[in-house]
Amino acid sequence: MNDLGFAITMEERRRSLEAVVSAAQFFRGELLRATGWPLGFLKGARIEQVLSVDSGWKVGYAPDTLTSLVDHLAAENFAYSTMEGAGLVNRAGDADVTDRFRDQLVLVARDAQLHPTGFIGIGRDGRAQSLSPATAIHQPSNVLVGVAEQLDLLRSGAVPVIVDNLVDAIAVSSMSRATEGQWAGVPVFGAGLSTAQVRMLRKFSLGDTAIVIAHGDEHRQKLTTSYLFDLALYYDRVRAVVLPHSPSSIVSSAYGPQIMNDLLTTARPILTYKFGGAASANLAGDPEPPDRGPDL
C-alpha cells in the first residue's frame, strides 16, 4: 500500500507505468498528425519547436474522441483495469470504458525517480492544469514537469527558473539552449510548488541557486510567495525577478533571449522584493549566504 492508501502489487505498478508511457507515445503521435487549434496554439505561443522530433519537450495531443486511447492501449494488451488504475480512462463497467483526456495538449508529469506517472494538460483557453487523478502511481503534489526534459542542463549546473506557466517554462528552456545553457524552466500548477516537489527539483540540481519569476497582478504574485519558504530550505540562494510581461512574450521579442538572459543573470535576492504586499524579508535570513565549505 502506498502513501495514498492504494493497495498495488509490484506487477500492477509496472504495468500502470508502462500504460502511461504507451499513452504518452500515442499522444505524441497524435500531435504530430494534428491540425487546427493545437498547431495554432503552439505557433501563437511561439513554441512550435516542440514539434521537432529532436525536441526534449515531448508535447502530445489527446484527441477529442471517446475511445482512441482506449483502443490504442487495448491493442497494446493493457487490461481495462490497468488503464483505470493508471488514471487514463473513465470506466463504468467493461462495456463503458472511455478516454479520460480529450482535446488537450498534454505533457508527462514524472515522479522523483523520473517515472512517467500522469499528465498535465493545456486546453483551448491556454490554461494549464493537472489532468491525472491521484492514483497508486501518481500524486499531483509529488510530480514535476520539465526535469527529465532538461536533465542535461540541470546536471551541467543550470539554474532552475520557476514559472507559473508551461509555455513560459518551454520558452526559458529554449532560450537557455540557444545561449549558454544557464537556465532550466520549471512550471508549477495549481496551489504552487510543494515541499516534495522542491525536494525533487533539488535532487536533480547541481547548483545551489533557484530563481522565481513573478509577473501579473497582485494575486498571482502572492501565489508566488507561497513556495518561496520551501525553496529557501533547499537552496542556498533564492533569487527573484519581477516582470511586467510573461517570460515567453519577452523571449519572443526582438533581442528577447539576450534580454531575458540578462534579467536572470542579475536576479536579486528575494528579501529585496515585496510580492503582492508580502514582505519577502520574512522568507530568507541572508541575501548572500556564504559558500559552503567542504562537507565533513
Side-chain angles (χ1 to χ4, degrees), residues 90-177:
N90 295 314
R91 187 180 185 190
D94 287 347
D96 188 14
V97 181
T98 57
D99 298 348
R100 176 182 288 273
F101 316 135
R102 300 180 192 170
D103 199 25
Q104 296 267 338
L105 289 166
V106 294
L107 273 95
V108 173
R110 298 174 185 267
D111 64 15
Q113 287 72 48
L114 298 185
H115 294 142
T117 64
F119 294 93
I120 302 295
I122 302 177
R124 289 174 179 259
D125 60 0
R127 187 170 65 92
Q129 60 181 327
S130 178
L131 296 179
S132 296
T135 67
I137 63 169
H138 179 81
Q139 185 174 1
S141 63
N142 285 2
V143 297
L144 283 174
V145 173
V147 172
E149 291 83 350
Q150 302 169 94
L151 195 57
D152 60 324
L153 292 175
L154 291 168
R155 286 179 170 171
S156 297
V159 174
V161 179
I162 316 301
V163 296
D164 65 359
N165 183 285
L166 187 53
V167 170
D168 289 338
I170 295 174
V172 168
S173 176
S174 298
M175 177 273 295
S176 177
R177 293 191 183 280

Side-chain angles (χ1 to χ4, degrees), residues 27 36 57 64 75 133 136 138 146 159 162 170 182 223 263 285-286 294-295:
F27 293 145
W57 294 85
D64 190 14
H138 179 81
V159 174
I162 316 301
I170 295 174
Q182 294 177 269
L223 288 178
L263 287 168
D286 184 355
D295 290 335

Side-chain angles (χ1 to χ4, degrees), residues 17-27 69 72-73 76 78 119:
L17 291 172
E18 289 175 348
V20 174
V21 171
S22 183
Q25 293 169 345
F26 169 77
F27 293 145
L69 178 61
H72 166 79
L73 293 175
E76 295 289 316
F78 290 101
F119 294 93

Side-chain angles (χ1 to χ4, degrees), residues 23 46 76 98 112 118 148 166 210 217 227 236 291:
R46 299 190 180 183
E76 295 289 316
T98 57
L166 187 53
D217 58 23
Y227 48 85
D236 286 349
D291 291 334

Side-chain angles (χ1 to χ4, degrees), residues 18-282:
E18 289 175 348
V20 174
V21 171
S22 183
Q25 293 169 345
F26 169 77
F27 293 145
R28 180 65 174 170
E30 288 296 301
L31 177 63
L32 298 181
R33 289 190 293 270
T35 58
W37 82 263
L39 297 187
F41 176 85
L42 295 175
K43 291 178 180 178
R46 299 190 180 183
I47 56 169
E48 62 268 29
Q49 65 269 23
V50 302
L51 295 170
S52 168
V53 295
D54 298 325
S55 172
W57 294 85
K58 303 300 184 185
V59 180
Y61 174 65
D64 190 14
T65 57
L66 281 176
T67 63
S68 290
L69 178 61
V70 171
D71 295 342
H72 166 79
L73 293 175
E76 295 289 316
N77 296 318
F78 290 101
Y80 290 151
S81 59
T82 299
M83 302 179 200
E84 183 181 22
L88 298 171
V89 301
N90 295 314
R91 187 180 185 190
D94 287 347
D96 188 14
V97 181
T98 57
D99 298 348
R100 176 182 288 273
F101 316 135
R102 300 180 192 170
D103 199 25
Q104 296 267 338
L105 289 166
V106 294
L107 273 95
V108 173
R110 298 174 185 267
D111 64 15
Q113 287 72 48
L114 298 185
H115 294 142
T117 64
F119 294 93
I120 302 295
I122 302 177
R124 289 174 179 259
D125 60 0
R127 187 170 65 92
Q129 60 181 327
S130 178
L131 296 179
S132 296
T135 67
I137 63 169
H138 179 81
Q139 185 174 1
S141 63
N142 285 2
V143 297
L144 283 174
V145 173
V147 172
E149 291 83 350
Q150 302 169 94
L151 195 57
D152 60 324
L153 292 175
L154 291 168
R155 286 179 170 171
S156 297
V159 174
V161 179
I162 316 301
V163 296
D164 65 359
N165 183 285
L166 187 53
V167 170
D168 289 338
I170 295 174
V172 168
S173 176
S174 298
M175 177 273 295
S176 177
R177 293 191 183 280
T179 53
E180 298 179 357
Q182 294 177 269
W183 323 108
V186 179
V188 296
F189 308 94
L193 205 61
S194 70
T195 302
Q197 288 169 323
V198 174
R199 187 165 53 246
M200 175 181 170
L201 183 60
R202 188 68 182 92
K203 172 183 176 181
F204 295 104
S205 302
L206 182 64
D208 60 4
T209 300
I211 295 177
V212 174
I213 290 183
H215 72 93
D217 58 23
E218 182 174 324
H219 174 69
R220 290 183 71 178
Q221 292 190 23
K222 282 184 176 179
L223 288 178
T224 301
T225 67
S226 66
Y227 48 85
L228 289 175
F229 290 101
D230 288 323
L231 283 169
L233 289 175
Y234 287 90
Y235 288 90
D236 286 349
R237 295 173 175 83
V238 181
R239 308 294 195 188
V241 178
V242 178
L243 301 178
H245 306 290
S246 69
S248 57
S249 64
I250 293 175
V251 168
S252 63
S253 66
Y255 307 106
Q258 186 59 53
I259 292 171
M260 179 58 65
N261 191 70
D262 291 344
L263 287 168
L264 294 174
T265 300
T266 57
R268 291 155 47 191
I270 57 174
L271 70 74
T272 64
Y273 287 95
K274 284 189 176 182
F275 296 101
S280 55
N282 295 328

